[in-house]
Amino acid sequence: MTTCDLDHVETESVLRFLSRERKKVLSLFEFKHRLRNYGYCLKRSEGVFYVLTLPHRKRVCALPRELLS
């Protein structure tokens, strides 16, 4: 997993948040919708999903595979 624009502490905080939000929904579609409400989106690039900020689409970190299923 590669981080992009945040330091290690901030990235871990975002990943914990993403993990909590993923547990609240059943599908990837719902997960993406919830992330948009919080100012994030997912973008797939070269087989890896990245978390981006909205509206500027700055890369935050790579999404761990366990959060996709």
Side-chain angles (χ1 to χ4, degrees):
M1 173 174 43
T2 48
T3 58
C4 300
D5 291 339
L6 300 178
D7 66 23
H8 181 69
V9 174
E10 291 172 323
T11 301
E12 290 300 318
S13 175
V14 169
L15 289 174
R16 282 193 304 274
F17 164 75
L18 294 173
S19 180
R20 285 192 310 269
E21 289 302 311
R22 183 62 176 111
K23 290 176 184 176
K24 296 177 183 179
V25 298
L26 297 175
S27 68
L28 186 58
F29 177 79
E30 289 176 290
F31 182 50
K32 288 179 180 181
H33 185 72
R34 287 186 74 88
L35 291 182
R36 290 188 73 79
N37 289 333
Y38 289 108
Y40 295 104
C41 68
L42 297 181
K43 179 172 173 72
R44 187 174 182 185
S45 175
E46 300 174 8
V48 177
F49 279 94
Y50 289 98
V51 179
L52 307 173
T53 62
L54 293 174
H56 304 293
R57 295 188 174 262
K58 290 189 177 185
R59 204 180 275 188
V60 176
C61 63
L63 187 69
R65 290 201 182 270
E66 60 266 13
L67 296 182
L68 293 173
S69 57

PDB file of all heavy atoms in Angstrom, residues 4 7-8 14 16 25 27 29 32 41 48 57-58 60 67:
ATOM      1  N   CYS A   4       0.155   8.778  -0.242  1.00  0.00           N
ATOM      2  CA  CYS A   4       0.458   9.775  -1.265  1.00  0.00           C
ATOM      3  C   CYS A   4       0.683  11.166  -0.706  1.00  0.00           C
ATOM      4  O   CYS A   4       1.788  11.644  -0.721  1.00  0.00           O
ATOM      5  CB  CYS A   4      -0.644   9.767  -2.304  1.00  0.00           C
ATOM      6  SG  CYS A   4      -0.782   8.160  -3.092  1.00  0.00           S
ATOM      7  N   ASP A   7       0.957  12.402   5.813  1.00  0.00           N
ATOM      8  CA  ASP A   7       1.987  11.679   6.552  1.00  0.00           C
ATOM      9  C   ASP A   7       1.390  10.393   7.135  1.00  0.00           C
ATOM     10  O   ASP A   7       0.193  10.138   7.029  1.00  0.00           O
ATOM     11  CB  ASP A   7       2.617  12.561   7.631  1.00  0.00           C
ATOM     12  CG  ASP A   7       1.664  12.943   8.743  1.00  0.00           C
ATOM     13  OD1 ASP A   7       0.662  12.239   8.964  1.00  0.00           O
ATOM     14  OD2 ASP A   7       1.921  13.956   9.411  1.00  0.00           O
ATOM     15  N   HIS A   8       2.226   9.590   7.750  1.00  0.00           N
ATOM     16  CA  HIS A   8       1.829   8.262   8.228  1.00  0.00           C
ATOM     17  C   HIS A   8       0.690   8.333   9.253  1.00  0.00           C
ATOM     18  O   HIS A   8      -0.249   7.547   9.184  1.00  0.00           O
ATOM     19  CB  HIS A   8       3.052   7.557   8.824  1.00  0.00           C
ATOM     20  CG  HIS A   8       2.764   6.189   9.313  1.00  0.00           C
ATOM     21  ND1 HIS A   8       2.465   5.156   8.456  1.00  0.00           N
ATOM     22  CD2 HIS A   8       2.699   5.677  10.564  1.00  0.00           C
ATOM     23  CE1 HIS A   8       2.239   4.067   9.172  1.00  0.00           C
ATOM     24  NE2 HIS A   8       2.376   4.361  10.446  1.00  0.00           N
ATOM     25  N   VAL A  14      -7.145   8.135   8.478  1.00  0.00           N
ATOM     26  CA  VAL A  14      -8.085   7.989   7.366  1.00  0.00           C
ATOM     27  C   VAL A  14      -8.438   6.518   7.154  1.00  0.00           C
ATOM     28  O   VAL A  14      -9.602   6.173   6.943  1.00  0.00           O
ATOM     29  CB  VAL A  14      -7.509   8.615   6.079  1.00  0.00           C
ATOM     30  CG1 VAL A  14      -8.350   8.247   4.869  1.00  0.00           C
ATOM     31  CG2 VAL A  14      -7.401  10.118   6.216  1.00  0.00           C
ATOM     32  N   ARG A  16      -8.452   4.091   9.375  1.00  0.00           N
ATOM     33  CA  ARG A  16      -9.360   3.652  10.449  1.00  0.00           C
ATOM     34  C   ARG A  16     -10.782   4.140  10.179  1.00  0.00           C
ATOM     35  O   ARG A  16     -11.748   3.403  10.347  1.00  0.00           O
ATOM     36  CB  ARG A  16      -8.868   4.165  11.800  1.00  0.00           C
ATOM     37  CG  ARG A  16      -7.723   3.371  12.376  1.00  0.00           C
ATOM     38  CD  ARG A  16      -7.462   3.705  13.835  1.00  0.00           C
ATOM     39  NE  ARG A  16      -7.205   5.121  14.060  1.00  0.00           N
ATOM     40  CZ  ARG A  16      -6.022   5.712  13.958  1.00  0.00           C
ATOM     41  NH1 ARG A  16      -4.962   4.989  13.635  1.00  0.00           N
ATOM     42  NH2 ARG A  16      -5.880   7.004  14.187  1.00  0.00           N
ATOM     43  N   VAL A  25     -21.878  -0.700   5.837  1.00  0.00           N
ATOM     44  CA  VAL A  25     -22.608  -0.908   4.587  1.00  0.00           C
ATOM     45  C   VAL A  25     -22.381  -2.317   4.055  1.00  0.00           C
ATOM     46  O   VAL A  25     -21.440  -2.999   4.441  1.00  0.00           O
ATOM     47  CB  VAL A  25     -22.205   0.126   3.519  1.00  0.00           C
ATOM     48  CG1 VAL A  25     -22.551   1.524   3.969  1.00  0.00           C
ATOM     49  CG2 VAL A  25     -20.737   0.034   3.185  1.00  0.00           C
ATOM     50  N   SER A  27     -22.550  -3.053   0.472  1.00  0.00           N
ATOM     51  CA  SER A  27     -21.989  -3.107  -0.876  1.00  0.00           C
ATOM     52  C   SER A  27     -20.933  -2.024  -1.093  1.00  0.00           C
ATOM     53  O   SER A  27     -20.883  -1.019  -0.382  1.00  0.00           O
ATOM     54  CB  SER A  27     -23.094  -2.927  -1.917  1.00  0.00           C
ATOM     55  OG  SER A  27     -23.604  -1.610  -1.874  1.00  0.00           O
ATOM     56  N   PHE A  29     -20.932  -0.099  -3.648  1.00  0.00           N
ATOM     57  CA  PHE A  29     -21.686   1.068  -4.109  1.00  0.00           C
ATOM     58  C   PHE A  29     -22.084   1.955  -2.934  1.00  0.00           C
ATOM     59  O   PHE A  29     -21.898   3.182  -2.980  1.00  0.00           O
ATOM     60  CB  PHE A  29     -22.926   0.606  -4.880  1.00  0.00           C
ATOM     61  CG  PHE A  29     -23.800   1.738  -5.319  1.00  0.00           C
ATOM     62  CD1 PHE A  29     -23.475   2.492  -6.436  1.00  0.00           C
ATOM     63  CD2 PHE A  29     -24.942   2.051  -4.613  1.00  0.00           C
ATOM     64  CE1 PHE A  29     -24.285   3.547  -6.836  1.00  0.00           C
ATOM     65  CE2 PHE A  29     -25.753   3.097  -4.999  1.00  0.00           C
ATOM     66  CZ  PHE A  29     -25.427   3.846  -6.117  1.00  0.00           C
ATOM     67  N   LYS A  32     -18.979   3.738  -1.506  1.00  0.00           N
ATOM     68  CA  LYS A  32     -18.578   4.891  -2.317  1.00  0.00           C
ATOM     69  C   LYS A  32     -19.495   6.084  -2.062  1.00  0.00           C
ATOM     70  O   LYS A  32     -19.040   7.221  -1.978  1.00  0.00           O
ATOM     71  CB  LYS A  32     -18.591   4.524  -3.799  1.00  0.00           C
ATOM     72  CG  LYS A  32     -17.480   3.602  -4.220  1.00  0.00           C
ATOM     73  CD  LYS A  32     -17.605   3.298  -5.694  1.00  0.00           C
ATOM     74  CE  LYS A  32     -16.521   2.372  -6.177  1.00  0.00           C
ATOM     75  NZ  LYS A  32     -16.642   2.098  -7.618  1.00  0.00           N
ATOM     76  N   CYS A  41     -13.575  10.207  -2.498  1.00  0.00           N
ATOM     77  CA  CYS A  41     -14.061   9.327  -3.556  1.00  0.00           C
ATOM     78  C   CYS A  41     -12.993   8.269  -3.814  1.00  0.00           C
ATOM     79  O   CYS A  41     -11.869   8.372  -3.327  1.00  0.00           O
ATOM     80  CB  CYS A  41     -14.382  10.101  -4.827  1.00  0.00           C
ATOM     81  SG  CYS A  41     -12.966  10.811  -5.667  1.00  0.00           S
ATOM     82  N   VAL A  48      -5.418  -0.702  -8.689  1.00  0.00           N
ATOM     83  CA  VAL A  48      -5.424  -0.311  -7.284  1.00  0.00           C
ATOM     84  C   VAL A  48      -6.452   0.807  -7.100  1.00  0.00           C
ATOM     85  O   VAL A  48      -6.508   1.734  -7.901  1.00  0.00           O
ATOM     86  CB  VAL A  48      -4.032   0.195  -6.840  1.00  0.00           C
ATOM     87  CG1 VAL A  48      -4.055   0.675  -5.405  1.00  0.00           C
ATOM     88  CG2 VAL A  48      -2.988  -0.889  -7.030  1.00  0.00           C
ATOM     89  N   ARG A  57      -9.654  16.275  -5.866  1.00  0.00           N
ATOM     90  CA  ARG A  57      -9.160  14.943  -6.247  1.00  0.00           C
ATOM     91  C   ARG A  57      -7.672  14.752  -5.986  1.00  0.00           C
ATOM     92  O   ARG A  57      -6.930  14.250  -6.811  1.00  0.00           O
ATOM     93  CB  ARG A  57      -9.495  14.645  -7.701  1.00  0.00           C
ATOM     94  CG  ARG A  57     -10.988  14.556  -7.939  1.00  0.00           C
ATOM     95  CD  ARG A  57     -11.297  14.088  -9.323  1.00  0.00           C
ATOM     96  NE  ARG A  57     -12.710  13.877  -9.477  1.00  0.00           N
ATOM     97  CZ  ARG A  57     -13.293  12.678  -9.384  1.00  0.00           C
ATOM     98  NH1 ARG A  57     -12.577  11.617  -9.162  1.00  0.00           N
ATOM     99  NH2 ARG A  57     -14.598  12.572  -9.522  1.00  0.00           N
ATOM    100  N   LYS A  58      -7.247  15.145  -4.796  1.00  0.00           N
ATOM    101  CA  LYS A  58      -5.873  14.877  -4.376  1.00  0.00           C
ATOM    102  C   LYS A  58      -5.820  13.489  -3.760  1.00  0.00           C
ATOM    103  O   LYS A  58      -6.674  13.110  -2.964  1.00  0.00           O
ATOM    104  CB  LYS A  58      -5.401  15.916  -3.366  1.00  0.00           C
ATOM    105  CG  LYS A  58      -5.195  17.267  -3.979  1.00  0.00           C
ATOM    106  CD  LYS A  58      -4.534  18.203  -3.033  1.00  0.00           C
ATOM    107  CE  LYS A  58      -4.297  19.525  -3.722  1.00  0.00           C
ATOM    108  NZ  LYS A  58      -3.548  20.443  -2.889  1.00  0.00           N
ATOM    109  N   VAL A  60      -5.038  10.556  -1.397  1.00  0.00           N
ATOM    110  CA  VAL A  60      -4.789  10.429   0.035  1.00  0.00           C
ATOM    111  C   VAL A  60      -3.972   9.179   0.309  1.00  0.00           C
ATOM    112  O   VAL A  60      -2.917   9.235   0.925  1.00  0.00           O
ATOM    113  CB  VAL A  60      -6.118  10.379   0.825  1.00  0.00           C
ATOM    114  CG1 VAL A  60      -5.875  10.155   2.301  1.00  0.00           C
ATOM    115  CG2 VAL A  60      -6.916  11.646   0.595  1.00  0.00           C
ATOM    116  N   LEU A  67     -10.996  -3.888   2.301  1.00  0.00           N
ATOM    117  CA  LEU A  67     -12.136  -2.968   2.364  1.00  0.00           C
ATOM    118  C   LEU A  67     -12.971  -2.991   1.092  1.00  0.00           C
ATOM    119  O   LEU A  67     -14.033  -2.384   1.044  1.00  0.00           O
ATOM    120  CB  LEU A  67     -11.643  -1.536   2.632  1.00  0.00           C
ATOM    121  CG  LEU A  67     -10.966  -1.316   3.973  1.00  0.00           C
ATOM    122  CD1 LEU A  67     -10.580   0.151   4.130  1.00  0.00           C
ATOM    123  CD2 LEU A  67     -11.867  -1.741   5.115  1.00  0.00           C
TER     124      LEU A  67
END
